[in-house]
Amino acid sequence: MKTINLIYSLLGLVLVTSCEPAFLLKEQSRKLSDYSSVSYDLPNKLEEISGLEKIGDEFYGFNDSGGAAEIYKFTSKNPIEITQTIKLSNASNVDWEEMAMSDKHLFVGDFGNNLGMRSDLKVYYFPRKNINTSLKEQSVVVDTIEFFYPEQEDYSKQVYNHNFDLESMVYFNEKLHLFTKEWGSFKTKHYTIDLVKGKQPAWLVEDYDLKFLATGTDVIELNDKYARLGMVGYTTDGDVYMMLTDFKSSAKEWLNNPKTIIHLGEAGDVGQVEGIAFIDQDNVCYSAEAITWEDKSRKQNLTCISLK
């Protein structure tokens, strides 16, 4: 009798430890047409939209290198309109590439580094409570986090041929998580930095053979144990992808889990995709800069898809 009970106990242990929750993503390759989606053109002022976040019923975005040091709030219904401009009064836009947010702060990543030469990588941030939604224009004062990669020794000009470009950032578990855009390897490295002023090293957590250039990232909690990471990017041949993966919230490494890879299309058809924002675990939106690719052109746009 004891032997039988032991067998059933061991069997129950195997079943519990080997089964994952049913909602977790499985390894699969899909295409955009497999899902329901809707796409809207964005105003001309957002022609080079890069970062993307959603707060309440509206989105926040900005333009990348050379754009004004401004964040634009815009509606989520067609036709899309800009409803507020937030000026970062003590910041400049060398190459803004990504936006992230916590419950308390909004973060802007000025760390685009196509040439591999930058030694002034930084993240601006300010309290979300400082946004006065009743104003069409306002200014905010920001604090600054500066960082560097301990692994980078060569700062010479390397046009699209190095592994220290960066366009992806999320806030999670009281840290900022960075995902590199690697022109040399087509991998991505996952780094973390702390929310402290001044200059600090970015600490390497993991690397993953992504096989495309990471241009935007977002994360959403699924429950108290799991979270979902979304990443967008493209290949040098113009194929545009979204990668989704689920990970344990307590895990240090996030990328070595089953993934859903969605082929969004060709750059000439969908634009230069550089922003991503979850609405909830079943709905995600991405933004694209205007682009002319080969014999096709696509205006700047916002596309939302249902993952159900």
Side-chain angles (χ1 to χ4, degrees):
M1 190 68 176
K2 291 181 180 180
T3 303
I4 294 175
N5 287 338
L6 178 61
I7 291 172
Y8 279 113
S9 296
L10 290 174
L11 179 60
L13 179 62
V14 170
L15 290 174
V16 169
T17 56
S18 63
C19 292
E20 291 184 337
F23 62 82
L24 291 184
L25 293 170
K26 304 298 187 289
E27 194 79 25
Q28 57 183 326
S29 296
R30 307 289 293 273
K31 54 186 182 295
L32 183 60
S33 59
D34 294 333
Y35 303 94
S36 297
S37 66
V38 60
S39 183
Y40 306 108
D41 287 343
L42 291 172
N44 290 334
K45 198 165 189 177
L46 284 165
E47 185 177 19
E48 294 191 16
I49 184 170
S50 193
L52 183 71
E53 284 291 347
K54 191 171 190 291
I55 301 177
D57 293 329
E58 295 185 291
F59 289 92
Y60 289 76
F62 51 70
N63 293 313
D64 58 16
S65 57
E70 298 175 346
I71 298 171
Y72 306 106
K73 182 173 71 172
F74 57 92
T75 57
S76 56
K77 295 182 180 180
N78 204 34
I80 290 176
E81 297 179 348
I82 293 174
T83 59
Q84 185 180 34
T85 298
I86 303 169
K87 300 180 180 181
L88 279 57
S89 61
N90 57 329
S92 60
N93 185 345
V94 176
D95 193 358
W96 290 12
E97 289 291 353
E98 178 68 293
M99 188 185 305
M101 66 179 181
S102 67
D103 291 339
K104 296 181 178 180
H105 291 93
L106 199 63
F107 303 91
V108 174
D110 188 351
F111 42 48
N113 190 23
N114 282 333
L115 305 182
M117 300 173 64
R118 289 189 67 178
S119 58
D120 61 342
L121 307 174
K122 57 178 66 74
V123 177
Y124 299 117
Y125 66 102
F126 63 92
R128 287 174 55 178
K129 67 180 182 180
N130 289 359
I131 300 175
N132 186 340
T133 56
S134 66
L135 298 176
K136 288 189 175 181
E137 289 191 8
Q138 74 165 116
S139 295
V140 296
V141 175
V142 298
D143 289 312
T144 305
I145 300 168
E146 300 176 85
F147 68 94
F148 63 94
Y149 306 106
E151 296 82 11
Q152 185 174 8
E153 298 178 352
D154 185 0
Y155 287 86
S156 63
K157 186 175 182 179
Q158 301 176 67
V159 183
Y160 305 134
N161 188 31
H162 63 93
N163 294 328
F164 294 99
D165 200 358
L166 177 62
E167 296 189 6
S168 301
M169 171 181 68
V170 298
Y171 171 90
F172 195 76
N173 283 350
E174 300 183 353
K175 291 182 181 293
L176 288 172
H177 298 255
L178 314 174
F179 298 87
T180 54
K181 179 185 181 185
E182 303 201 352
W183 295 94
S185 69
F186 289 90
K187 295 182 178 182
T188 189
K189 288 187 176 66
H190 175 189
Y191 288 88
T192 61
I193 56 176
D194 295 314
L195 306 185
V196 294
K197 299 176 189 177
K199 199 160 190 174
Q200 63 177 289
W203 296 109
L204 180 61
V205 176
E206 59 182 326
D207 62 67
Y208 177 72
D209 189 9
L210 189 62
K211 294 183 172 58
F212 61 83
L213 299 166
T215 60
T217 312
D218 199 18
V219 68
I220 187 170
E221 292 188 69
L222 301 175
N223 55 31
D224 60 350
K225 292 184 179 180
Y226 290 92
R228 176 165 296 167
L229 180 73
M231 184 176 294
V232 290
Y234 48 77
T235 68
T236 54
D237 293 328
D239 286 298
V240 185
Y241 293 95
M242 178 184 294
M243 182 271 286
L244 303 168
T245 188
D246 297 339
F247 61 93
K248 288 187 177 180
S249 302
S250 59
K252 182 179 179 181
E253 298 183 351
W254 298 359
L255 297 175
N256 291 311
N257 298 298
K259 296 171 182 63
T260 294
I261 306 294
I262 305 171
H263 183 219
L264 300 178
E266 303 295 325
D269 295 316
V270 302
Q272 185 169 317
V273 175
E274 299 219 346
I276 177 174
F278 282 107
I279 308 305
D280 53 45
Q281 69 181 53
D282 294 319
N283 295 275
V284 63
C285 299
Y286 59 88
S287 58
E289 296 183 17
I291 193 174
T292 297
W293 182 268
E294 296 179 344
D295 60 342
K296 294 182 178 180
S297 293
R298 182 68 168 96
K299 192 175 180 181
Q300 63 277 4
N301 65 90
L302 176 76
T303 299
C304 297
I305 66 176
S306 172
L307 301 172
K308 290 183 178 180

